[in-house]
Amino acid sequence: MRTAALTPQLREDALATLRSTSEGGPELDVLVIGGGVTGAGIALDAVTRGLSTAVIDAQDWASGTSSRSSKLVHGGLRYLQMLDFHLVREALTERDLLINTLAPHLVKPVSFLYPLEHRVWERAYVGAGVALYDTLASVSGRERAMPIHRHLTRQGMEKLFPDLRHDAAVGAVRYWDAAVDDARLVSTLVRTAVSYGAHAASRTQVVRLTTTPGGAVTGAELVDLETGEQFTVRARHVINATGVWTEKTEGLAGTEGGLRVLASKGIHIVVPRDRIAGNTGLILQTEKSVLFVIPWSRYWVIGTTDTPWEQELTHPVATSADIDYVIDHANAVLARPLTREDVIGTWAGLRPLLQPGTKEGTSSAKVSREHTVASPTPGLTVIAGGKLTTYRVMAKDAVDFAIGSRATTLPSITDRVPLVGAEGLEVVQRQSRDTAKRYGWDRGRMDHLLHRYGSLVHELIDLIEAEPELAEPLENAPAYIGAEVVYAATHEGVLHLDDVLMHRTRLNYEQADKGVGALEEIADLIGPRLGWDAATREKEIAAYRSRAEAEFAAAQQPDDAAAEVARLQADDLAPMVPLQGGDRVEGGTKPGSSPETRAASGPAGT
């Protein structure tokens, strides 16, 4: 398979194809609205069935929920408490499929300790639950991807996690799940879909869904937010995969039906790896949610929260109260308590939680975590809910639902379509020692590159062969080499400086300065590749500095309303067009509407 590079020209070509559908060219089979993990997965599912497919997003790929999760691929251990065995089994099957076949370079095993406070009954209760978790992972018949759980004494627990308070637990159960860089998973899905022939255009917003006099959706009016150009695209099937924007997008068709979605905010904090002594993760029950302490390369990720969000949807932020909540609950079990000074980064994301039926006032914590597919009007399919782990199942269900009886003759094959970077991975891994020696990289650097790019690391090496200085780490962001930044511009669809620091790297939250110190050198690397003049370069740098300052200010505010005011002091370089149609995200299907719906499994977790 030829691996496509997401270049500015490829984006222009995609827009030209979309434009041609209303200028005498053939209409698309499928137009996917939303470039998060669900939309990207749908695009890959549709195009690998032989359907002409395009995917668009009003912002950068994965700029919403799909870059702001707990970055875990897991079965949802806590759903066993609700006796949702089918949901857990499905998620575990998808977890192991990603690790073994689809994305072994991106998805990596990580172990967790479940601390026990009671020696006998709790060990038996939790042990039985984790044993069932392991059993459900084996039912699929596929190769087992994870070790079996183990019971640990207090001594064994303290050896693995020295900074766990001596009196916090009498022992623990150690079990395994997996971690993933969520934004990279999405961009990899998009690249895979494009490599098979899909058309992809970020910073492209839907402002209206076109309809027949009878109300059937026939396509959409789009705006290229980079140029302001507006045009129409025709498509047999439009699939709305916009998460917390679901109702806004539904409303663009003028329909009364559809799905209702609640926005629930979850935040995470980042602390340096050497601040907590531990070789495994922790999972802790709190009164409001589950708290994970997750080892991530050079740092720890700790979260999450679960609170209703009633502000604008584009820029959720962590408040001072949110950060203190996470710190306080982590400190309940840590021998060396964390302080605000230990926090080097934060992020906040919005979970799209389904609102059952048309009931009013349902708490987000009680909303079903299953995904649902609906057709509020002919030609429009809507999917909402779900979780990162089960994106592939959600994509399959959405396309099946959209094309109806054709799904029998065009079944999904994405369970056996590796993502780009997976094919040839083992060969590249075996060659990695020589590669690292050639360029002066240590084992940690080589593992970092293999984890991010897999077998595509040879494309970075091509850049380095042409410009040897790109093998060197960035002066003010040494976790990354220059080739990674250039590659983001030449192969990964970057349009703005913001895209590099937020989604192609993790500099926004893994450095205390949000990557501001590296702005000049990053701009020097990507600017020439994107054709920036001096004025554009300065505008890009100023925009990111403004964003960083606004996020710092927001994190000092006591509540969501005040934090939103602080965050919105920074303007977007390519702002979304205000929509006239659609309800507020807390609204929903109006009483009396009866959209055709079908529930499908998949709890939303992280």
Side-chain angles (χ1 to χ4, degrees), residues 393-414:
V393 176
M394 295 170 65
K396 173 185 179 296
D397 289 343
V399 178
D400 281 349
F401 195 87
I403 66 176
S405 60
R406 295 182 69 195
T408 303
T409 55
L410 292 176
S412 175
I413 61 170
T414 52

PDB file of all heavy atoms in Angstrom, residues 393-414:
ATOM      1  N   VAL A 393     -15.680  -0.414  16.017  1.00  0.00           N
ATOM      2  CA  VAL A 393     -17.033  -0.972  16.046  1.00  0.00           C
ATOM      3  C   VAL A 393     -18.050   0.123  15.754  1.00  0.00           C
ATOM      4  O   VAL A 393     -19.019  -0.085  15.004  1.00  0.00           O
ATOM      5  CB  VAL A 393     -17.314  -1.624  17.415  1.00  0.00           C
ATOM      6  CG1 VAL A 393     -18.757  -2.117  17.490  1.00  0.00           C
ATOM      7  CG2 VAL A 393     -16.348  -2.768  17.671  1.00  0.00           C
ATOM      8  N   MET A 394     -17.850   1.291  16.342  1.00  0.00           N
ATOM      9  CA  MET A 394     -18.740   2.418  16.079  1.00  0.00           C
ATOM     10  C   MET A 394     -18.738   2.777  14.595  1.00  0.00           C
ATOM     11  O   MET A 394     -19.796   3.035  13.989  1.00  0.00           O
ATOM     12  CB  MET A 394     -18.315   3.623  16.908  1.00  0.00           C
ATOM     13  CG  MET A 394     -18.444   3.426  18.405  1.00  0.00           C
ATOM     14  SD  MET A 394     -17.666   4.761  19.325  1.00  0.00           S
ATOM     15  CE  MET A 394     -18.699   6.137  18.841  1.00  0.00           C
ATOM     16  N   ALA A 395     -17.546   2.815  13.991  1.00  0.00           N
ATOM     17  CA  ALA A 395     -17.440   3.143  12.571  1.00  0.00           C
ATOM     18  C   ALA A 395     -18.181   2.116  11.721  1.00  0.00           C
ATOM     19  O   ALA A 395     -18.921   2.468  10.789  1.00  0.00           O
ATOM     20  CB  ALA A 395     -15.976   3.223  12.172  1.00  0.00           C
ATOM     21  N   LYS A 396     -17.987   0.850  12.021  1.00  0.00           N
ATOM     22  CA  LYS A 396     -18.669  -0.212  11.285  1.00  0.00           C
ATOM     23  C   LYS A 396     -20.179  -0.059  11.383  1.00  0.00           C
ATOM     24  O   LYS A 396     -20.904  -0.153  10.380  1.00  0.00           O
ATOM     25  CB  LYS A 396     -18.238  -1.570  11.830  1.00  0.00           C
ATOM     26  CG  LYS A 396     -18.996  -2.761  11.259  1.00  0.00           C
ATOM     27  CD  LYS A 396     -18.589  -4.056  11.948  1.00  0.00           C
ATOM     28  CE  LYS A 396     -19.366  -5.242  11.398  1.00  0.00           C
ATOM     29  NZ  LYS A 396     -20.832  -5.129  11.673  1.00  0.00           N
ATOM     30  N   ASP A 397     -20.680   0.175  12.607  1.00  0.00           N
ATOM     31  CA  ASP A 397     -22.123   0.313  12.800  1.00  0.00           C
ATOM     32  C   ASP A 397     -22.678   1.516  12.030  1.00  0.00           C
ATOM     33  O   ASP A 397     -23.763   1.454  11.452  1.00  0.00           O
ATOM     34  CB  ASP A 397     -22.444   0.450  14.284  1.00  0.00           C
ATOM     35  CG  ASP A 397     -22.222  -0.849  15.050  1.00  0.00           C
ATOM     36  OD1 ASP A 397     -22.147  -1.901  14.408  1.00  0.00           O
ATOM     37  OD2 ASP A 397     -22.108  -0.792  16.288  1.00  0.00           O
ATOM     38  N   ALA A 398     -21.926   2.628  12.033  1.00  0.00           N
ATOM     39  CA  ALA A 398     -22.396   3.835  11.348  1.00  0.00           C
ATOM     40  C   ALA A 398     -22.492   3.608   9.838  1.00  0.00           C
ATOM     41  O   ALA A 398     -23.484   3.999   9.197  1.00  0.00           O
ATOM     42  CB  ALA A 398     -21.471   5.005  11.656  1.00  0.00           C
ATOM     43  N   VAL A 399     -21.475   2.985   9.260  1.00  0.00           N
ATOM     44  CA  VAL A 399     -21.501   2.758   7.815  1.00  0.00           C
ATOM     45  C   VAL A 399     -22.543   1.714   7.453  1.00  0.00           C
ATOM     46  O   VAL A 399     -23.289   1.871   6.471  1.00  0.00           O
ATOM     47  CB  VAL A 399     -20.105   2.357   7.300  1.00  0.00           C
ATOM     48  CG1 VAL A 399     -20.154   2.071   5.793  1.00  0.00           C
ATOM     49  CG2 VAL A 399     -19.090   3.459   7.584  1.00  0.00           C
ATOM     50  N   ASP A 400     -22.626   0.634   8.232  1.00  0.00           N
ATOM     51  CA  ASP A 400     -23.682  -0.363   8.008  1.00  0.00           C
ATOM     52  C   ASP A 400     -25.051   0.303   7.975  1.00  0.00           C
ATOM     53  O   ASP A 400     -25.891   0.035   7.098  1.00  0.00           O
ATOM     54  CB  ASP A 400     -23.672  -1.413   9.122  1.00  0.00           C
ATOM     55  CG  ASP A 400     -22.591  -2.463   8.952  1.00  0.00           C
ATOM     56  OD1 ASP A 400     -21.971  -2.509   7.875  1.00  0.00           O
ATOM     57  OD2 ASP A 400     -22.366  -3.235   9.908  1.00  0.00           O
ATOM     58  N   PHE A 401     -25.290   1.158   8.957  1.00  0.00           N
ATOM     59  CA  PHE A 401     -26.588   1.810   9.091  1.00  0.00           C
ATOM     60  C   PHE A 401     -26.849   2.739   7.906  1.00  0.00           C
ATOM     61  O   PHE A 401     -27.952   2.785   7.363  1.00  0.00           O
ATOM     62  CB  PHE A 401     -26.610   2.596  10.391  1.00  0.00           C
ATOM     63  CG  PHE A 401     -27.980   3.026  10.841  1.00  0.00           C
ATOM     64  CD1 PHE A 401     -28.765   2.192  11.604  1.00  0.00           C
ATOM     65  CD2 PHE A 401     -28.486   4.271  10.496  1.00  0.00           C
ATOM     66  CE1 PHE A 401     -30.030   2.589  12.030  1.00  0.00           C
ATOM     67  CE2 PHE A 401     -29.743   4.674  10.913  1.00  0.00           C
ATOM     68  CZ  PHE A 401     -30.519   3.833  11.684  1.00  0.00           C
ATOM     69  N   ALA A 402     -25.814   3.482   7.481  1.00  0.00           N
ATOM     70  CA  ALA A 402     -25.983   4.452   6.403  1.00  0.00           C
ATOM     71  C   ALA A 402     -26.300   3.784   5.072  1.00  0.00           C
ATOM     72  O   ALA A 402     -27.188   4.229   4.332  1.00  0.00           O
ATOM     73  CB  ALA A 402     -24.730   5.314   6.277  1.00  0.00           C
ATOM     74  N   ILE A 403     -25.596   2.696   4.745  1.00  0.00           N
ATOM     75  CA  ILE A 403     -25.768   2.103   3.411  1.00  0.00           C
ATOM     76  C   ILE A 403     -26.828   1.007   3.390  1.00  0.00           C
ATOM     77  O   ILE A 403     -27.163   0.492   2.318  1.00  0.00           O
ATOM     78  CB  ILE A 403     -24.439   1.559   2.865  1.00  0.00           C
ATOM     79  CG1 ILE A 403     -23.917   0.386   3.682  1.00  0.00           C
ATOM     80  CG2 ILE A 403     -23.396   2.682   2.821  1.00  0.00           C
ATOM     81  CD1 ILE A 403     -22.643  -0.246   3.112  1.00  0.00           C
ATOM     82  N   GLY A 404     -27.370   0.662   4.551  1.00  0.00           N
ATOM     83  CA  GLY A 404     -28.499  -0.262   4.605  1.00  0.00           C
ATOM     84  C   GLY A 404     -28.185  -1.636   4.063  1.00  0.00           C
ATOM     85  O   GLY A 404     -27.191  -2.273   4.432  1.00  0.00           O
ATOM     86  N   SER A 405     -28.990  -2.109   3.136  1.00  0.00           N
ATOM     87  CA  SER A 405     -28.862  -3.474   2.621  1.00  0.00           C
ATOM     88  C   SER A 405     -27.554  -3.699   1.882  1.00  0.00           C
ATOM     89  O   SER A 405     -27.105  -4.845   1.739  1.00  0.00           O
ATOM     90  CB  SER A 405     -30.037  -3.797   1.692  1.00  0.00           C
ATOM     91  OG  SER A 405     -30.064  -2.889   0.594  1.00  0.00           O
ATOM     92  N   ARG A 406     -26.899  -2.638   1.411  1.00  0.00           N
ATOM     93  CA  ARG A 406     -25.618  -2.793   0.711  1.00  0.00           C
ATOM     94  C   ARG A 406     -24.537  -3.317   1.646  1.00  0.00           C
ATOM     95  O   ARG A 406     -23.510  -3.821   1.184  1.00  0.00           O
ATOM     96  CB  ARG A 406     -25.165  -1.465   0.096  1.00  0.00           C
ATOM     97  CG  ARG A 406     -26.062  -0.938  -1.011  1.00  0.00           C
ATOM     98  CD  ARG A 406     -25.493   0.356  -1.577  1.00  0.00           C
ATOM     99  NE  ARG A 406     -24.256   0.120  -2.315  1.00  0.00           N
ATOM    100  CZ  ARG A 406     -23.420   1.096  -2.662  1.00  0.00           C
ATOM    101  NH1 ARG A 406     -23.687   2.353  -2.303  1.00  0.00           N
ATOM    102  NH2 ARG A 406     -22.330   0.822  -3.357  1.00  0.00           N
ATOM    103  N   ALA A 407     -24.763  -3.203   2.952  1.00  0.00           N
ATOM    104  CA  ALA A 407     -23.763  -3.688   3.903  1.00  0.00           C
ATOM    105  C   ALA A 407     -23.570  -5.199   3.801  1.00  0.00           C
ATOM    106  O   ALA A 407     -22.514  -5.719   4.162  1.00  0.00           O
ATOM    107  CB  ALA A 407     -24.165  -3.310   5.329  1.00  0.00           C
ATOM    108  N   THR A 408     -24.570  -5.906   3.288  1.00  0.00           N
ATOM    109  CA  THR A 408     -24.456  -7.358   3.131  1.00  0.00           C
ATOM    110  C   THR A 408     -23.420  -7.709   2.077  1.00  0.00           C
ATOM    111  O   THR A 408     -22.637  -8.654   2.243  1.00  0.00           O
ATOM    112  CB  THR A 408     -25.822  -7.964   2.745  1.00  0.00           C
ATOM    113  OG1 THR A 408     -26.788  -7.613   3.740  1.00  0.00           O
ATOM    114  CG2 THR A 408     -25.733  -9.477   2.642  1.00  0.00           C
ATOM    115  N   THR A 409     -23.399  -6.956   0.991  1.00  0.00           N
ATOM    116  CA  THR A 409     -22.451  -7.226  -0.089  1.00  0.00           C
ATOM    117  C   THR A 409     -21.157  -6.436   0.059  1.00  0.00           C
ATOM    118  O   THR A 409     -20.166  -6.738  -0.613  1.00  0.00           O
ATOM    119  CB  THR A 409     -23.090  -6.903  -1.449  1.00  0.00           C
ATOM    120  OG1 THR A 409     -23.562  -5.547  -1.443  1.00  0.00           O
ATOM    121  CG2 THR A 409     -24.270  -7.835  -1.719  1.00  0.00           C
ATOM    122  N   LEU A 410     -21.170  -5.409   0.909  1.00  0.00           N
ATOM    123  CA  LEU A 410     -19.971  -4.604   1.169  1.00  0.00           C
ATOM    124  C   LEU A 410     -19.694  -4.589   2.673  1.00  0.00           C
ATOM    125  O   LEU A 410     -19.790  -3.554   3.336  1.00  0.00           O
ATOM    126  CB  LEU A 410     -20.154  -3.168   0.658  1.00  0.00           C
ATOM    127  CG  LEU A 410     -20.248  -2.950  -0.843  1.00  0.00           C
ATOM    128  CD1 LEU A 410     -20.533  -1.482  -1.129  1.00  0.00           C
ATOM    129  CD2 LEU A 410     -18.960  -3.388  -1.540  1.00  0.00           C
ATOM    130  N   PRO A 411     -19.341  -5.728   3.238  1.00  0.00           N
ATOM    131  CA  PRO A 411     -19.128  -5.774   4.697  1.00  0.00           C
ATOM    132  C   PRO A 411     -17.834  -5.067   5.099  1.00  0.00           C
ATOM    133  O   PRO A 411     -16.910  -4.902   4.301  1.00  0.00           O
ATOM    134  CB  PRO A 411     -19.041  -7.273   4.985  1.00  0.00           C
ATOM    135  CG  PRO A 411     -18.509  -7.859   3.717  1.00  0.00           C
ATOM    136  CD  PRO A 411     -19.118  -7.037   2.610  1.00  0.00           C
ATOM    137  N   SER A 412     -17.767  -4.682   6.358  1.00  0.00           N
ATOM    138  CA  SER A 412     -16.572  -4.039   6.895  1.00  0.00           C
ATOM    139  C   SER A 412     -15.415  -5.023   6.939  1.00  0.00           C
ATOM    140  O   SER A 412     -15.593  -6.201   7.262  1.00  0.00           O
ATOM    141  CB  SER A 412     -16.846  -3.514   8.310  1.00  0.00           C
ATOM    142  OG  SER A 412     -15.662  -2.998   8.884  1.00  0.00           O
ATOM    143  N   ILE A 413     -14.199  -4.531   6.626  1.00  0.00           N
ATOM    144  CA  ILE A 413     -13.005  -5.381   6.704  1.00  0.00           C
ATOM    145  C   ILE A 413     -11.922  -4.745   7.588  1.00  0.00           C
ATOM    146  O   ILE A 413     -10.781  -5.181   7.578  1.00  0.00           O
ATOM    147  CB  ILE A 413     -12.420  -5.658   5.300  1.00  0.00           C
ATOM    148  CG1 ILE A 413     -12.009  -4.346   4.618  1.00  0.00           C
ATOM    149  CG2 ILE A 413     -13.392  -6.450   4.450  1.00  0.00           C
ATOM    150  CD1 ILE A 413     -11.208  -4.570   3.334  1.00  0.00           C
ATOM    151  N   THR A 414     -12.286  -3.724   8.351  1.00  0.00           N
ATOM    152  CA  THR A 414     -11.261  -2.993   9.104  1.00  0.00           C
ATOM    153  C   THR A 414     -10.650  -3.790  10.249  1.00  0.00           C
ATOM    154  O   THR A 414      -9.645  -3.366  10.820  1.00  0.00           O
ATOM    155  CB  THR A 414     -11.840  -1.677   9.674  1.00  0.00           C
ATOM    156  OG1 THR A 414     -13.052  -1.958  10.399  1.00  0.00           O
ATOM    157  CG2 THR A 414     -12.126  -0.687   8.560  1.00  0.00           C
TER     158      THR A 414
END
